[in-house]
């Protein structure tokens, strides 16, 4: 009898454990961090340079295929669209699928369900990666239209990056041939606008509900010459967005790892990787304390066919070689931390990022 009782008890315990394991995980906050052009060689180089990466704290690791619907080797527009919508698209397309149909982005959906949303980049916010989260155009080069969609249609709560020139007419020092002052349009929609690093450092977010910070006419310089830094902006963004009791979605891009790759500049890849990893540290610090934040770090593609052919761990230097000035089709790593992280382990496709984030938002 005792034995039967034990068997029943063991069964009940096992059953409840398996029920628990099937409980859906729903992170309150999601931070997606994209290292543009960040392949495994870039990460290896960054680790050699920095000694230890914050990225190493992320224990769930996977690999993603990155091909677009028309090319084996993706560009940032198609790569970011796969992550922002869960749908593949053609190279250069933004926020639409392979058939040209407009697709909702995870950021737009997060807005719709009452979460706060933000974009933090070290490039113009009209550039391919950020644009894929907030705009829908057939060609990434339509930055004039992208700016207009951001200003008039998107409901993102925070933008920190650069590129005010795309929002202003030529008469006001911008690049628009029309007469639209989209900064004014955004101010009327409730955005508090800053464009100088001092304004960023002195900003009291207490009475600010929507923030637009654009710190250069087009793109900012290479690290470490950027003010504010990606890590500083990430910290501010988290402080800003985490005030929302319903949670937030934040996309952070280490935009210029890619450009150092296009330039075949190995030394600059080290600096950009260190800069991006500082921002990863900020996000992980918050996630660790918060306990209800999923952090995903990945890349849209690799750039340069970068290879490490020599180096020194003790001297923290690498000798890098490149096989192209463009992107390559090698799989990119994905790292995840926090509730829901396990979904990113193993092999996957870049659309997994968008699909999973949607799933977590919709649960
Ligand atoms: Zn690129």
């Amino acid at each position: 009898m005792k034995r039967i009782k034990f068997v029943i008890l063991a069964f009940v315990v096992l059953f409840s454990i398996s029920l628990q394991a099937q409980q859906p995980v729903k992170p309150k906050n999601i931070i997606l961090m994209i290292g543009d052009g960040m392949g495994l060689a870039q990460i290896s180089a960054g680790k050699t340079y920095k000694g230890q990466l914050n990225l190493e704290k992320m224990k769930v690791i996977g690999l993603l295929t990155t091909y677009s619907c028309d090319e084996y080797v993706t560009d940032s527009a198609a790569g970011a669209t796969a992550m922002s919508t869960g749908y593949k698209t053609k190279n250069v397309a933004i926020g639409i699928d392979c058939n040209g149909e407009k697709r909702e982005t995870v950021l737009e959906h997060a807005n719709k369900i009452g979460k706060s949303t933000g974009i933090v980049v070290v490039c113009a916010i009209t550039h391919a990666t950020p644009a894929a989260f907030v705009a829908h155009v057939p060609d990434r080069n339509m930055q004039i239209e992208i700016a207009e969609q951001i200003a008039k249609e998107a409901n993102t709560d925070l933008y920190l990056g650069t590129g005010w020139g795309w929002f202003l007419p030529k008469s006001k020092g911008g690049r628009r041939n029309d007469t639209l002052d989209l900064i004014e349009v955004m101010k009327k929609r409730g955005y508090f606008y800053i464009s100088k690093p001092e304004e960023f450092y002195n900003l009291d977010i207490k009475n600010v509900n929507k923030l637009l910070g654009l710190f250069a006419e087009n793109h900012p310089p290479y690290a470490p010459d950027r003010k504010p830094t990606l890590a500083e902006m990430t910290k501010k963004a988290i402080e800003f967005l985490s005030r929302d009791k319903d949670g937030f979605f934040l996309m952070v891009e280490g935009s210029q790892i890619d450009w150092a790759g296009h330039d075949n500049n190995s030394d600059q890849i080290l600096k950009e990787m260190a800069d991006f990893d500082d921002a990863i540290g900020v996000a992980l610090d918050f996630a660790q304390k918060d306990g209800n934040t999923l952090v995903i770090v990945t890349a849209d593609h690799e750039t340069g066919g970068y290879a490490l052919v020599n180096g020194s761990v003790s001297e923290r230097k690498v000798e890098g070689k490149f096989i192209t000035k463009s992107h390559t089709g090698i799989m990119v790593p994905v790292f995840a931390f926090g509730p829901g992280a396990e979904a990113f382990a193993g092999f996957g496709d870049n659309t997994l990022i968008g699909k999973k984030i949607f799933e977590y938002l919709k649960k």
Side-chain angles (χ1 to χ4, degrees):
M1 196 61 190
K2 218 172 179 185
R3 200 188 158 96
I4 292 171
K5 267 186 188 163
F6 176 77
V7 169
I8 292 170
L9 184 70
F11 182 76
V12 168
V13 168
L14 276 176
F15 185 68
S16 63
I17 287 173
S18 76
L19 261 186
Q20 239 171 17
Q22 281 166 15
Q23 282 283 314
V25 193
K26 187 182 174 171
K28 179 183 169 196
N29 311 307
I30 300 175
I31 305 175
L32 172 61
M33 309 185 76
I34 302 172
D36 200 307
M38 182 183 74
L40 212 46
Q42 284 79 353
I43 293 170
S44 309
K47 176 168 168 56
T48 306
Y49 179 60
K50 225 178 165 186
Q52 189 158 17
L53 295 173
N54 290 308
L55 192 56
E56 293 173 53
K57 294 176 192 160
M58 306 179 81
K59 303 298 182 201
V60 176
I61 304 178
L63 291 169
L64 304 174
T65 47
T66 64
Y67 60 90
S68 67
C69 39
D70 60 342
E71 298 275 353
Y72 184 74
V73 177
T74 189
D75 80 325
S76 292
T81 297
M83 293 190 266
S84 70
T85 68
Y87 288 88
K88 295 261 185 209
T89 192
K90 292 177 183 165
N91 278 10
V92 314
I94 297 276
I96 58 176
D97 66 17
C98 300
N99 302 317
E101 199 176 318
K102 183 177 167 179
R103 292 289 173 183
E104 185 185 37
T105 75
V106 288
L107 186 144
E108 289 164 343
H109 193 75
N111 265 330
K112 203 157 85 183
I113 61 169
K115 289 184 189 287
S116 288
T117 55
I119 296 266
V120 173
V121 293
V122 281
C123 65
I125 62 168
T126 50
H127 207 244
T129 306
F133 287 80
V134 292
H136 308 269
V137 289
D139 189 328
R140 59 185 287 173
N141 295 306
M142 297 166 69
Q143 291 188 78
I144 291 289
E145 289 80 4
I146 291 168
E148 202 169 337
Q149 288 185 16
I150 288 173
K152 294 179 175 172
E153 292 163 37
N155 290 308
T156 317
D157 297 283
L158 169 144
Y159 297 95
L160 289 171
T162 59
W164 52 257
W166 298 100
F167 292 80
L168 291 178
K170 286 193 170 141
S171 62
K172 293 184 179 172
R175 347 184 130 214
R176 305 189 67 86
N177 284 321
D178 54 31
T179 54
L180 287 174
D181 181 338
L182 296 174
I183 303 280
E184 273 311 312
V185 170
M186 290 183 80
K187 282 183 186 168
K188 284 200 183 102
R189 290 185 66 208
Y191 284 89
F192 185 74
Y193 176 59
I194 54 174
S195 61
K196 295 181 180 68
E198 311 88 80
E199 293 174 311
F200 173 85
Y201 293 114
N202 297 327
L203 180 69
D204 180 359
I205 59 169
K206 215 186 299 155
N207 298 313
V208 180
N209 290 323
K210 287 189 163 213
L211 180 63
L212 174 66
L214 303 175
F215 305 103
E217 190 274 321
N218 191 19
H219 300 306
Y222 267 144
D225 299 326
R226 294 191 288 256
K227 285 271 170 221
T229 66
L230 189 65
E232 288 165 343
M233 293 192 289
T234 302
K235 191 158 192 247
K236 186 76 82 188
I238 292 173
E239 211 180 296
F240 190 96
L241 300 171
S242 62
R243 299 178 299 180
D244 191 331
K245 61 172 177 27
D246 299 316
F248 67 85
F249 171 80
L250 170 65
M251 194 286 286
V252 177
E253 187 198 24
S255 321
Q256 300 200 23
I257 301 164
D258 175 59
W259 304 355
H262 283 293
D263 285 348
N264 286 183
N265 184 341
S266 183
D267 288 345
Q268 192 56 38
I269 286 178
L270 302 181
K271 291 174 194 162
E272 295 299 337
M273 278 304 304
D275 185 72
F276 184 47
D277 189 64
D278 287 345
I280 293 170
V282 168
L284 288 176
D285 278 351
F286 173 80
Q288 235 153 6
K289 279 186 209 123
D290 179 69
N292 209 353
T293 300
L294 170 65
V295 182
I296 307 160
V297 178
T298 189
D300 46 1
H301 52 73
E302 192 276 342
T303 306
Y306 186 43
L308 307 178
V309 293
N310 205 344
S312 162
V313 172
S314 59
E315 292 169 55
R316 299 188 168 185
K317 63 179 193 188
V318 298
E319 188 189 324
K321 284 202 172 156
F322 299 86
I323 57 163
T324 175
K325 294 236 170 199
S326 306
H327 304 161
T328 66
I330 191 171
M331 284 188 286
V332 293
V334 54
F335 304 81
F337 177 94
E342 309 72 36
F344 300 96
F347 277 66
D349 178 69
N350 58 3
T351 49
L352 176 75
I353 304 286
K355 284 178 187 156
K356 276 289 155 191
I357 295 177
F358 264 120
E359 194 182 307
Y360 292 149
L361 291 173
K362 283 177 175 171
K363 260 177 191 166

